[in-house]
C-alpha cells in the first residue's frame, strides 16, 4: 500500500521563519555560537483523542497501527497553519480510560484498515504518555466512545428494524425509565468522573501547556433530509429518534465544555458551525459520513470491508459509521486553529 508523508508547513510560515533566522544570525555577537534556527523553537503540540480527532476514513490515512489517523485531520492542519511541532497520538475507538489514560487494548482497535494484519493489532500505550513538561499545546477530543455512542447507534438501528410501527423506539428505550435509561445515566456519570480525572492528569504531565477540549460536530441537527433505510445516512434509525440523538450529542458537548471551563482550558465548538451540514444534508454540503459511504480526501486508498461490513446494505465503499468526512475535518481544523490562534 502506498505510504504517505506528513504535509510540509506552509510556504509563508517557512519564509517567515527563514527571515527571522537571518536577522537573528546578523545580530549574534562576532565569534559567538550561531543563533539556533527559529524552526527548532516551534511549540510542541500533542494531539489526544478518538476517531473524530484522528479523522478516520478520510484519505490519506496511516495504516500501521489500526488508528486510522488522517493526514488531513485537524491536528495536522493546525500544526501546519500555526507552525507547531506535532505529535499526533489520536486513535479511532479511543476512550477516556482505555486509550488516553490507560493502554488501548488491541480488542478496541478497529482501523482502518478494518481487517487487521495477520496476528492482529498490538496494544497501544496510553496517549497521555506523549505529554511532558516541555509540551506547549494540547488538544483533546474524546468522550463519545466512553459514553457508548457506537452501541447507542447500533441499538437505534436494531430497534428501527424490529419495531417498524414505533415512531420513536430508541428514544423510548433510553428515556422510558427502564434498563436503557439506567445504563445511559450510569455511562454519563462515569464519563463525568473519568473526564475530570483525565484533565487533571493532562495538567500534571504538561503543566505549562495551553489545553483545548474539542467538542463533537453536528451529526443530525435537522432530520428533514433523512430517508429510512438509506445507509449513506442513518440506515434504519427512525426519523422520530433523531431529535433525541441530537440532544444526546449536545448533552455530551456540554459535559466537555464544563470540564474545560473548570480546568481553565479552551473549549472548541465544532457543533455550531456544522449545523446545516449534518448526515442528512445533501451530498454537496454534508460534512458527515453515513453508516456506509464513499470515501473522501486525496489519493486512492481503499478499505477492504470486514465480514460485518459486507452484511450492511448500501453501495458505499466502506463502513464509515457516522464520522466527519473531508469537509468535516476542514471545519474542525478551522475552529481549532481559530481557538488556539486567539489564545496564542
Amino acid at each position: 500500500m502506498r505510504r504517505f508523508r506528513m504535509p510540509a508547513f506552509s510556504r509563508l510560515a517557512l519564509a517567515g521563519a527563514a527571515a527571522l533566522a537571518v536577522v537573528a544570525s546578523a545580530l549574534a555577537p562576532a565569534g559567538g555560537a550561531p543563533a539556533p534556527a527559529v524552526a527548532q523553537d516551534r511549540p510542541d503540540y500533542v494531539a489526544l483523542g478518538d476517531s473524530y480527532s484522528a479523522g478516520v476514513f478520510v484519505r490519506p490515512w496511516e495504516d500501521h497501527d489500526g488508528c486510522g489517523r488522517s493526514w488531513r485531520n485537524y491536528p495536522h492542519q493546525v500544526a501546519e497553519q500555526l507552525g507547531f511541532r506535532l505529535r499526533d497520538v489520536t486513535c479511532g475507538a479511543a476512550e477516556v480510560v482505555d486509550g488516553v489514560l490507560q493502554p488501548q487494548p488491541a480488542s478496541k482497535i478497529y482501523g482502518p484498515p478494518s481487517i487487521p494484519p495477520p496476528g492482529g493489532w498490538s496494544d497501544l500505550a496510553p496517549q497521555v504518555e506523549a505529554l511532558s513538561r516541555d509540551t506547549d499545546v494540547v488538544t483533546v477530543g474524546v468522550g463519545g466512545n466512553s459514553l457508548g455512542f457506537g452501541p447507542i447507534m447500533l441499538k437505534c438501528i436494531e430497534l428501527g428494524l424490529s419495531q417498524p410501527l414505533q415512531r420513536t423506539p430508541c428514544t423510548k428505550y433510553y428515556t422510558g425509565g427502564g434498563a436503557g435509561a439506567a445504563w445511559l445515566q450510569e455511562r454519563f456519570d462515569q464519563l463525568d468522573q473519568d473526564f475530570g480525572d483525565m484533565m487533571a492528569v493532562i495538567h500534571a504531565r504538561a503543566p505549562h501547556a495551553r489545553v483545548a477540549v474539542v467538542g463533537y460536530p453536528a451529526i443530525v441537527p435537522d432530520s428533514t433530509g433523512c430517508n429510512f433505510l438509506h445507509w449513506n445516512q442513518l440506515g434504519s434509525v427512525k426519523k422520530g429518534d433523531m431529535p433525541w440523538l441530537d440532544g444526546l450529542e449536545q448533552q455530551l458537548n456540554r459535559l466537555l465544555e464544563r470540564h474545560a471551563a473548570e480546568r481553565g482550558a479552551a473549549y472548541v465548538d465544532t457543533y455550531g458551525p456544522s449545523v446545516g451540514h449534518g448526515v442528512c444534508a445533501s451530498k454537496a454540503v454534508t460534512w458527515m459520513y453515513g453508516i456506509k459511504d464513499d470515501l473522501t480526501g486525496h489519493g486512492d486508498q481503499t478499505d477492504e470491508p470486514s465480514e460485518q461490513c459486507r452484511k450492511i446494505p448500501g453501495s458505499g465503499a466502506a463502513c464509515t459509521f457516522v464520522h466527519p468526512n473531508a469537509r468535516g475535518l476542514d471545519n474542525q481544523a478551522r475552529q481549532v486553529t481559530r481557538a488556539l490562534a486567539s489564545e496564542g
Side-chain angles (χ1 to χ4, degrees):
M1 181 174 288
R2 180 184 174 189
R3 306 296 299 182
F4 295 88
R5 296 183 181 275
M6 186 185 303
F9 284 93
S10 67
R11 293 187 180 89
L12 180 61
L14 285 175
L20 287 171
V22 170
V23 172
S25 177
L27 295 176
V38 171
Q40 294 177 353
D41 297 329
R42 290 184 281 128
D44 286 320
Y45 165 34
V46 177
L48 315 173
D50 59 21
S51 55
Y52 273 59
S53 294
V56 298
F57 293 110
V58 175
R59 303 183 184 112
W61 62 75
E62 296 182 46
D63 58 10
H64 71 282
D65 61 1
C67 287
R69 299 177 203 89
S70 172
W71 292 119
R72 190 165 171 165
N73 66 14
Y74 72 76
H76 282 85
Q77 292 199 50
V78 166
E80 182 174 353
Q81 293 175 41
L82 297 182
F84 295 160
R85 182 186 295 107
L86 172 65
R87 185 169 182 188
D88 181 4
V89 292
T90 59
C91 190
E95 301 174 15
V96 173
V97 175
D98 288 350
V100 179
L101 292 175
Q102 296 180 14
Q104 184 168 342
S107 61
K108 290 186 177 181
I109 299 174
Y110 304 128
S114 296
I115 297 180
W121 302 115
S122 299
D123 293 355
L124 298 172
Q127 292 182 22
V128 292
E129 290 187 357
L131 302 173
S132 74
R133 297 184 66 84
D134 296 326
T135 303
D136 299 297
V137 180
V138 179
T139 57
V140 56
V142 70
N145 295 318
S146 301
L147 181 63
F149 191 76
I152 291 168
M153 282 293 301
L154 289 173
K155 190 66 175 180
C156 291
I157 290 169
E158 172 197 331
L159 292 173
L161 291 171
S162 63
Q163 299 184 20
L165 300 183
Q166 289 287 336
R167 180 178 174 274
T168 58
C170 199
T171 305
K172 292 178 180 178
Y173 179 80
Y174 285 109
T175 64
W183 176 87
L184 183 57
Q185 185 59 55
E186 183 177 316
R187 297 300 286 254
F188 261 113
D189 292 344
Q190 189 63 56
L191 174 59
D192 197 9
Q193 176 65 49
D194 292 342
F195 206 93
D197 293 345
M198 180 191 70
M199 294 297 288
V201 171
I202 290 173
H203 178 72
R205 283 179 169 265
H208 310 299
R210 290 183 289 143
V211 180
V213 176
V214 182
Y216 289 90
I219 296 173
V220 59
D222 182 357
S223 62
T224 56
C226 284
N227 296 286
F228 190 65
L229 295 183
H230 282 218
W231 296 93
N232 64 343
Q233 295 181 351
L234 295 182
S236 59
V237 177
K238 292 294 188 71
K239 187 178 292 189
D241 282 322
M242 293 179 188
W244 176 78
L245 282 170
D246 181 57
L248 179 70
E249 185 186 8
Q250 293 191 58
Q251 184 179 357
L252 171 60
N253 279 337
R254 287 193 296 271
L255 183 150
L256 305 187
E257 185 174 15
R258 173 168 53 80
H259 279 284
E262 289 173 354
R263 276 287 171 180
Y267 174 74
V268 183
D269 173 25
T270 66
Y271 180 96
S274 58
V275 170
H277 300 278
V279 69
C280 295
S282 70
K283 277 296 179 184
V285 300
T286 184
W287 293 352
M288 293 294 301
Y289 285 129
I291 291 171
K292 192 172 186 179
D293 217 330
D294 293 327
L295 298 173
T296 61
H298 298 297
D300 57 2
Q301 245 174 331
T302 59
D303 182 60
E304 184 179 353
S306 65
E307 181 179 351
Q308 292 82 358
C309 181
R310 291 192 181 97
K311 295 177 181 178
I312 297 177
S315 59
C319 286
T320 46
F321 205 72
V322 196
H323 285 93
N325 61 21
R327 289 188 294 262
L329 298 193
D330 292 346
N331 168 62
Q332 291 174 307
R334 286 192 297 272
Q335 309 314 320
V336 178
T337 300
R338 183 177 295 116
L340 292 177
S342 66
E343 287 201 337

